[in-house]
Amino acid sequence: MKYIIDLIEDVREQIGNHGEYTVKAGLLKTDENDEKKLIYSGEATLSTFHIDEIRKELIFEIDASESSLTISDLIPPLLILDMDAMMFALKIDVNAQYKNMEIVGFGKNDEQKAYILFIKI
């Protein structure tokens, strides 16, 4: 499980907080032949996020009608959170079938200027 503090640190280390990077969800699936291996199965651009104080989660959403979420949209509001909120878990609502998906890792694609949040199905 990843937390807000992990995301902030990784963005700083991996892309130096470059605001023009879009934030995407990357889908990883278990290899049918080897359960220890994960296969990259595609990505989708994230558009919004909100903090659920009750569940103690930062939840990202995919909404094609909204503009793409960028690092400059995401990081500044997170930096002003208190220390308790920094330990909120990171989740993604992909669609009605795949809600509340746990983020298992981070990545980047410098060519596409994309920062990727990986989920596993």
Side-chain angles (χ1 to χ4, degrees), residues 16-83:
N17 289 340
H18 284 111
E20 70 275 7
Y21 276 65
T22 57
V23 184
K24 297 186 176 192
L27 176 62
L28 301 173
K29 290 185 178 179
T30 304
D31 187 333
E32 294 175 3
N33 301 321
D34 185 353
E35 292 187 12
K36 293 181 182 178
K37 290 185 179 179
L38 297 174
I39 299 171
Y40 184 71
S41 300
E43 62 188 39
T45 302
L46 298 171
S47 52
T48 60
F49 70 96
H50 70 276
I51 294 177
D52 185 328
E53 296 278 343
I54 296 168
R55 293 184 355 206
K56 297 186 179 202
E57 296 173 342
L58 171 63
I59 304 167
F60 294 93
E61 292 116 6
I62 298 170
D63 183 351
S65 67
E66 297 282 332
S67 61
S68 300
L69 181 65
T70 64
I71 292 298
S72 63
D73 299 326
L74 175 63
I75 296 300
L78 299 182
L79 291 175
I80 62 172
L81 294 174
D82 62 32
M83 283 308 294

Side-chain angles (χ1 to χ4, degrees), residues 67-108:
S67 61
S68 300
L69 181 65
T70 64
I71 292 298
S72 63
D73 299 326
L74 175 63
I75 296 300
L78 299 182
L79 291 175
I80 62 172
L81 294 174
D82 62 32
M83 283 308 294
D84 289 337
M86 290 288 180
M87 294 308 295
F88 285 9
L90 301 175
K91 303 287 178 111
I92 296 178
D93 287 345
V94 177
N95 56 31
Q97 182 181 3
Y98 296 108
K99 292 183 90 50
N100 211 28
M101 302 295 298
E102 184 177 306
I103 294 171
V104 296
F106 307 117
K108 67 175 179 168

